Amino acid sequence: MKIKACRNSISWVLAIVFIIGLFGNAGLSHASLEPSTKSKHSLVIQHATVVDVRSGKLIQNQTIIVNGNKISYIGNGEDVTLPKNAKVRDATGQYVIPGLWDMHVHLLKDYKHAFPLFLAHGVTGIRDLGTDMSHIELWKKAIQNGMPAPRTVYTGAILNQGVHVPFHFDLKTEQEARKAVRSIAEKGGDFVKVYSGLPRSIYNVVIDEARKYRLPVTGHLPFQVRAIDGVRMGQKSMEHLNGLFIATSSKEAELLKKPDLPKRYFEYEMIANKHYDSKVAAKLFNEFAENEVWQVPTLITPINMAKLEIDPRAKYVPPAIQKEWITFIKTMKDTKELKLNVEYAKMMGGLVEKMNDAGVPIMAGTDSATLIPNSIFGSSLHDELQLLVKNGLSPLQALQTATINPARYFERVYELGTVEEGKLADLVVLEANPLEDIRNTARISAVVFNGKLMEKKELAKAIKTYDLVKMEDVKLEPKQTKPSNSSLHHHGLHAH
């Protein structure tokens, strides 16, 4: 099935999507897409307030000197000689934070408008959780040809069973599983993504084979795998809170034995939420914290899918995609599925608050993809940070989920995640204090990426905008008046 064909039946695809020199070093020696060139010039940012994302301290009146693509000096600037011919940028009254990371996106073939949007919103790094290798080749060529793009960590195809959709391996045997892992390693993938439909036996083999190539395993918690076992097997991150309502309930053993679990997974998760067991949860959360198993909730996704109007920021996506979004919105209006989306979003927020209180490590991700209505590359990350604060995180903790936490996850704290001497010069200059109000992360004055300064006007100029399609201008065909029967059922599983 081709991606174009998927987009022609967006209701069905979205259901599946939601539930289920050039090469640098992105942790554990695996390849990722890094900027192909670095600035040969020097940059000086003066009179800035540096936000220490470790401690939450605000260090005022700082001079930041960037040579090439690294920070060579941070201090009061009184006793340092500025580089000759350096570009000097006054940041009086402004705040400097590390470049932001979106830890769950799906670029597909949409890199041409995605890359400028990410950078314009201060997102200097992304983790792509599944696409076709042919898409990745397109990204590589664009970057080689000089297109500015965030640092991109990717996997390629997803390891699954029983779902015949693009960029998924349908693994039926242990031999096929080992071959799939080897293929990802040979093609330069940074990690392996497992999926909801993997049987426990295949999951075990994937973990074993990935260890041989030092490839981290991330993704969905498979239906047949207990969360506590996923931790002990070594899964490095878990996406969308899949399976965690069952795993924190007094009904876990009973629900996991249900023969129709895959078909009614979302429903059983909602039932499990009503039987939340604080003792069971505490044990699991402690395992997450002690073993540093990262959670990427993507709180924004069910909220985007429950909106009854097209987001004004949809002007950043082509009209054809806007029309698909409007079609989906109209098919979902006044349905049971829509109401349950809203309920599920609240469930997710409540669980995130409990996990954060227990010290579970969290990273910000958005599931951004043009296949998901109202999902805007770049800006959705700021929405996610606001939702994290709404659901119990402090502004500092939320900021950490997109800065130092990804650096820890990638084992790249030595060069990413904080504003410090010796680190890569990926910075965001803000007009207001993000620790006072997390919404201020969206008030971007400039971005420094890999040592190059990009002012707000330059960033905006790189973004292509389109006329906003009006809801009333999109007419539904008779067959489009109802959402797919599996729509919510699958979307609760986040099965890309």
Side-chain angles (χ1 to χ4, degrees), residues 43 45 87 89 429 446-449 451-455 458:
L43 169 68
I45 301 175
K87 182 178 181 63
R89 209 282 191 178
V429 183
V447 173
V448 178
F449 177 55
K452 180 184 177 183
L453 175 69
M454 297 175 285
E455 295 286 357
E458 180 185 352

Side-chain angles (χ1 to χ4, degrees), residues 20-35:
I20 19 183
L22 176 61
F23 300 103
N25 182 13
L28 297 182
S29 78
H30 302 305
S32 65
L33 294 176
E34 300 280 351

Side-chain angles (χ1 to χ4, degrees), residues 196-256:
S196 306
L198 273 189
R200 174 62 188 263
S201 59
I202 301 292
Y203 175 81
N204 292 349
V205 169
V206 167
I207 296 282
D208 179 65
E209 192 69 17
R211 284 197 188 104
K212 297 178 183 178
Y213 295 93
R214 300 183 68 215
L215 286 173
V217 176
T218 185
H220 298 200
L221 183 70
F223 302 135
Q224 296 181 11
V225 178
R226 295 175 67 224
I228 198 79
D229 291 336
V231 173
R232 292 168 181 170
M233 289 292 291
Q235 186 165 330
K236 191 169 184 179
S237 79
M238 297 179 180
E239 313 298 308
H240 317 296
L241 309 183
N242 274 12
L244 299 193
F245 297 101
I246 290 174
T248 55
S249 77
S250 59
K251 300 277 187 178
E252 181 186 27
E254 174 187 336
L255 293 174
L256 290 180

Side-chain angles (χ1 to χ4, degrees), residues 139-160:
W139 312 343
K140 289 180 181 179
K141 288 181 181 178
I143 296 170
Q144 285 173 329
N145 291 332
M147 184 176 188
R151 304 180 193 279
T152 302
V153 177
Y154 63 86
T155 180
I158 298 166
L159 278 57
N160 201 358

Side-chain angles (χ1 to χ4, degrees), residues 21-323:
L22 176 61
F23 300 103
N25 182 13
L28 297 182
S29 78
H30 302 305
S32 65
L33 294 176
E34 300 280 351
S36 56
T37 59
K38 62 182 180 181
S39 173
K40 296 179 181 179
H41 304 289
S42 297
L43 169 68
V44 178
I45 301 175
Q46 293 182 320
H47 312 301
T49 297
V50 172
V51 179
D52 182 341
V53 296
R54 282 197 179 97
S55 66
K57 292 181 179 178
L58 298 175
I59 310 167
Q60 298 179 338
N61 197 30
Q62 294 294 286
T63 294
I64 303 170
I65 299 178
V66 175
N67 281 308
N69 68 340
K70 291 189 176 181
I71 301 170
S72 61
Y73 172 85
I74 301 178
N76 58 26
E78 294 179 1
D79 300 320
V80 66
T81 302
L82 301 184
K84 292 182 179 180
N85 302 318
K87 182 178 181 63
V88 179
R89 209 282 191 178
D90 182 28
T92 301
Q94 299 185 334
Y95 297 77
V96 177
I97 63 172
L100 302 170
W101 278 77
D102 188 332
M103 293 297 286
H104 192 128
V105 306
H106 294 273
L107 287 180
L108 304 178
K109 292 190 291 188
D110 302 306
Y111 67 96
K112 289 183 180 179
H113 74 266
F115 286 162
L117 281 170
F118 280 125
L119 292 176
H121 289 90
V123 180
T124 58
I126 57 176
R127 186 179 65 143
D128 190 281
L129 267 287
T131 192
D132 192 272
M133 282 304 301
S134 64
H135 300 156
I136 296 170
E137 292 303 318
L138 292 175
W139 312 343
K140 289 180 181 179
K141 288 181 181 178
I143 296 170
Q144 285 173 329
N145 291 332
M147 184 176 188
R151 304 180 193 279
T152 302
V153 177
Y154 63 86
T155 180
I158 298 166
L159 278 57
N160 201 358
Q161 186 182 99
V163 179
H164 306 289
V165 293
F167 54 88
H168 277 239
F169 287 105
D170 182 10
L171 305 177
K172 299 181 180 65
T173 67
E174 294 184 5
Q175 291 75 15
E176 289 178 350
R178 294 189 187 278
K179 183 178 178 180
V181 173
R182 289 197 297 271
S183 173
I184 291 170
E186 290 166 0
K187 292 177 180 178
D190 296 287
F191 59 95
V192 171
K193 182 180 180 182
V194 294
Y195 224 68
S196 306
L198 273 189
R200 174 62 188 263
S201 59
I202 301 292
Y203 175 81
N204 292 349
V205 169
V206 167
I207 296 282
D208 179 65
E209 192 69 17
R211 284 197 188 104
K212 297 178 183 178
Y213 295 93
R214 300 183 68 215
L215 286 173
V217 176
T218 185
H220 298 200
L221 183 70
F223 302 135
Q224 296 181 11
V225 178
R226 295 175 67 224
I228 198 79
D229 291 336
V231 173
R232 292 168 181 170
M233 289 292 291
Q235 186 165 330
K236 191 169 184 179
S237 79
M238 297 179 180
E239 313 298 308
H240 317 296
L241 309 183
N242 274 12
L244 299 193
F245 297 101
I246 290 174
T248 55
S249 77
S250 59
K251 300 277 187 178
E252 181 186 27
E254 174 187 336
L255 293 174
L256 290 180
K257 291 178 181 177
K258 296 284 186 181
D260 59 350
L261 179 64
K263 293 183 179 180
R264 299 177 62 190
Y265 197 63
F266 179 78
E267 179 184 343
Y268 287 138
E269 283 270 78
M270 299 187 81
I271 291 172
N273 186 55
K274 296 177 181 178
H275 297 275
Y276 178 82
D277 187 317
S278 59
K279 291 184 179 179
V280 172
K283 182 178 179 180
L284 177 62
F285 295 163
N286 184 61
E287 292 276 357
F288 285 159
E290 286 193 355
N291 292 280
E292 204 165 74
V293 177
W294 299 86
Q295 301 302 316
V296 186
T298 64
L299 297 173
I300 188 61
T301 309
I303 290 175
N304 278 338
M305 294 187 73
K307 289 179 179 176
L308 296 176
E309 298 289 337
I310 192 166
D311 193 302
R313 294 171 295 183
K315 66 182 181 180
Y316 297 128
V317 301
I321 294 173
Q322 293 184 44
K323 290 177 182 178

Side-chain angles (χ1 to χ4, degrees), residues 79 150 310 327 342 443 454 489:
D79 300 320
I310 192 166
T327 297
V342 176
R443 296 181 60 183
M454 297 175 285
H489 193 65

